[in-house]
Amino acid sequence: MDLYAENILDHYRNPRGKSPLLPQRERGQGRGPIQHTESNPACGDEITVGISLQNDHISEICWDGTGCAISQAAMSMLSEELEGKTLEDIDHLTKDSLLALLGVPIGPRRLKCALLGLHACKNALCQFQKIPLRSWSETVA
Amino acid sequence: MSLPIAKIRQAFPILRRLIDGHPLAYLDNAATTQKPDGVLDAMNAYYRTQNANAHRGMHPLAEEATDAYEGARGVVQKFLHACHSEEIIFTKSCTEAINLAAKSWGRTNLHPGDRVILTILEHHSNIIPWIQLKEERGIELQWVDIDDDGNLRFDRLERFLHEGNAKLVAITGQSNVLGMQPPLQEIIGRSHAAGARVLVDAAQLVAHHPIDVQKLDCDFLAFSGHKLYGPTGIGVLYGKREFLEHMPPMLGGGGMVQNVTEESFIPLDPPARFEAGTPPIAEAVGLAAAIDWLSQFSWEDIIHHEQQLLVHAGVVLSSIPNLTILGRFPLQPTPYNLPPRTGCLSFTLDNLHPHDLTEILGREGICLRAGHHCAEPLHRRLGFAASTRLSIALYNTPEEINRLPAAIERAREILTGKTADSARAHGRVANYKLQTTH
């Protein structure tokens, strides 16, 4: 199948969850949004994710950024996938599950494009849990 | 006389390659050029018949390897019109050559408060060594800006020079993004008058314009073999002998030392002093073969062919809707009678990411570079995160460039689902543009 398959291009042209406004701090109760930015040093692509939680469930996931069709579509699909899930679900996400979600062949030169959103989500979680951030080599491993 | 392009193309076996049935249109020559048979054969013959370590043995092969290596140095000396062969230092790359100047000459001669003047056109390899020196030595960096056409602001350079304490001007001979050539002769003259030394990063210049280091009177000049139709793994630092003689070695090891005790060592004279370890001998042989190969053509013919190609590329690209060439186009006359652009043009298209565009063009065998081309400060100055670059060599043809408009339209349609006409109708002229922060 082609890298620029119809579902990839659809998410690229009409990204889901993409919004310059990150989630507002929940009023009075719950925890505020976890916000984290990652970039791909090879091309300068950048994605910021904002995750709002309610009772340990993701009540809202927003993101913003610039990048190629693959990085933007992958983050769009990921944000749909994670809506309503738990932080544990982010923890369980792997490179392979993200590639399966994309459903197109990703060669080595586009791997970091595909994984930029996942890398940002994983490190948003690390930041929330106050544990050391993951390196790129851990995400692509 | 015009160049025998068909015959030249015959000399490059890779140009006969098909990508998925499409002929190759290799337009990424600013990243690296392809290699002619003459270079491949020379390296092959060296390994098959002469291979030994240079400067390290008394047997016949050791002598032949040494002759081949030192012969290559002579070829480079002649090519650059350097006064002495010991002014030619072989390194592994242009990057290493600039680092050698920074880490040897810079560490010895630059002190806290001294200024190094750079331009916003520079490649990272002529930026980072100086930032490292700033962190290590407390020197100050000053950046010469460009105008909106992409030309260097000569007035800024003069102001910096007059402010005093300028010890070095480190400047590209040709931008790897805009293709602009700063007026080196004038810059070197004014810098010397202000007491500053000059290092020229000739990585891009070297394949497109003759270099005469004595006429230029530059103090250092760096380039790499692989952008000059030669192999990877070899670069050159030219330095005036009077400076090299007083510079300490950057690396210590075999081949750079007169004698060693348990306590100390006495280094050899240049160039050996700066060439610790087994040098890139076969690569030096390949570089010399590349220079010999290129020297069969006159610079006049090369410049004429490449200027025609680049102007043609500019006209063809300008005809594509919503395509923006970085720096001004049509090409404007520049001061000092320099060609307006040489070697490359960079552009953006709609809000499409250069990686997507070049990935799709690549499927048709059209090879362009995407990204910031290791010139992040310049892209930030221009207000773009990334661009697509078309860069030529003497084997490229107008026919290769003519493939671009239709291929770019196909890519645009794949990515946006819209044709150029409908994109225009919807007023989608916004380019892939960042918030500028300068």
Side-chain angles (χ1 to χ4, degrees), chain A residues 39-98:
Chain A
S39 62
N40 181 350
C43 54
D45 287 2
E46 196 174 88
I47 283 180
T48 301
V49 292
I51 299 172
S52 293
L53 291 175
Q54 210 151 27
N55 305 323
D56 285 334
H57 279 71
I58 298 169
S59 59
E60 193 185 4
I61 176 162
C62 287
W63 62 278
D64 197 14
T66 54
C68 64
I70 308 306
S71 70
Q72 302 293 290
M75 185 61 230
S76 171
M77 293 162 102
L78 189 59
S79 71
E80 272 191 340
E81 179 73 12
L82 286 176
E83 197 82 51
K85 298 278 173 64
T86 63
L87 289 181
E88 229 174 21
D89 292 324
I90 296 183
D91 204 24
H92 289 151
L93 274 176
T94 62
K95 172 182 105 176
D96 290 339
S97 54
L98 197 278

Side-chain angles (χ1 to χ4, degrees), chain B residues 227-240:
Chain B
K227 294 190 203 297
L228 184 65
Y229 309 101
T232 56
I234 187 154
V236 168
L237 178 69
Y238 158 82
K240 281 182 183 164

Side-chain angles (χ1 to χ4, degrees), chain B residues 70-352:
Chain B
E70 291 307 321
R73 198 188 306 278
V75 171
V76 174
Q77 177 204 347
K78 217 175 122 211
F79 181 65
L80 295 181
H81 301 94
C83 219
H84 312 282
S85 71
E86 58 267 37
E87 293 178 320
I88 305 299
I89 301 163
F90 284 130
T91 62
K92 80 170 162 66
S93 59
C94 182
T95 297
E96 189 181 279
I98 297 172
N99 272 273
L100 171 57
K103 286 166 176 56
S104 176
W105 181 86
R107 274 183 188 154
T108 317
N109 292 281
L110 298 177
H111 307 287
D114 285 349
R115 291 174 174 175
V116 169
I117 301 175
L118 305 171
T119 84
I120 201 72
L121 295 170
E122 302 311 310
H123 183 283
H124 292 171
S125 58
N126 197 27
I127 295 176
I128 295 168
W130 308 112
I131 294 179
Q132 288 178 314
L133 213 53
K134 175 183 147 185
E135 289 166 353
E136 190 186 309
R137 276 286 188 275
I139 61 164
E140 290 172 26
L141 304 184
Q142 287 178 302
W143 293 88
V144 181
D145 199 7
I146 49 175
D147 64 22
D148 291 338
D149 291 352
N151 293 309
L152 205 66
R153 291 281 304 267
F154 208 91
D155 57 319
R156 296 276 175 94
L157 173 68
E158 297 226 291
R159 203 178 73 201
F160 290 153
L161 285 171
H162 286 141
E163 280 172 7
N165 250 7
K167 292 291 158 63
L168 178 76
V169 177
I171 185 167
T172 183
Q174 182 179 310
S175 162
N176 72 321
V177 177
L178 300 176
M180 300 294 177
Q181 288 181 358
L184 287 181
Q185 193 77 64
E186 284 71 20
I187 289 170
I188 293 164
R190 311 262 178 113
S191 302
H192 283 172
R197 315 272 45 126
V198 180
L199 176 141
V200 177
D201 171 3
Q204 295 296 327
L205 184 69
V206 70
H208 302 287
H209 198 273
I211 294 174
D212 182 333
V213 291
Q214 290 188 71
K215 184 162 167 275
L216 278 175
D217 198 27
C218 55
D219 302 289
F220 297 99
L221 182 137
F223 73 93
S224 62
H226 73 99
K227 294 190 203 297
L228 184 65
Y229 309 101
T232 56
I234 187 154
V236 168
L237 178 69
Y238 158 82
K240 281 182 183 164
R241 190 164 67 176
E242 60 194 277
F243 298 119
L244 296 180
E245 275 170 353
H246 299 104
M247 283 161 51
M250 180 173 79
L251 300 175
M256 51 71 74
V257 76
Q258 273 182 40
N259 60 43
V260 189
T261 67
E262 286 92 329
E263 303 296 330
S264 64
F265 71 94
I266 299 171
L268 285 168
D269 289 335
R273 182 187 299 172
F274 304 106
E275 295 181 356
T278 295
I281 307 167
E283 289 78 4
V285 167
L287 172 58
I291 291 172
D292 285 343
W293 179 83
L294 191 63
S295 302
Q296 67 182 297
F297 311 110
S298 80
W299 276 112
E300 206 185 342
D301 288 346
I302 294 170
I303 291 171
H304 178 71
H305 171 67
E306 293 187 345
Q307 274 302 305
Q308 280 194 324
L309 263 183
L310 207 66
V311 169
H312 181 68
V315 170
V316 167
L317 289 174
S318 305
S319 72
I320 298 171
N322 291 358
L323 185 146
T324 305
I325 294 177
L326 305 191
R328 177 169 293 192
F329 197 91
L331 304 176
Q332 301 289 311
T334 54
Y336 307 104
N337 286 328
L338 288 164
R341 307 284 187 98
T342 307
C344 69
L345 290 174
S346 299
F347 60 91
T348 61
L349 180 73
D350 283 334
N351 54 354
L352 298 183

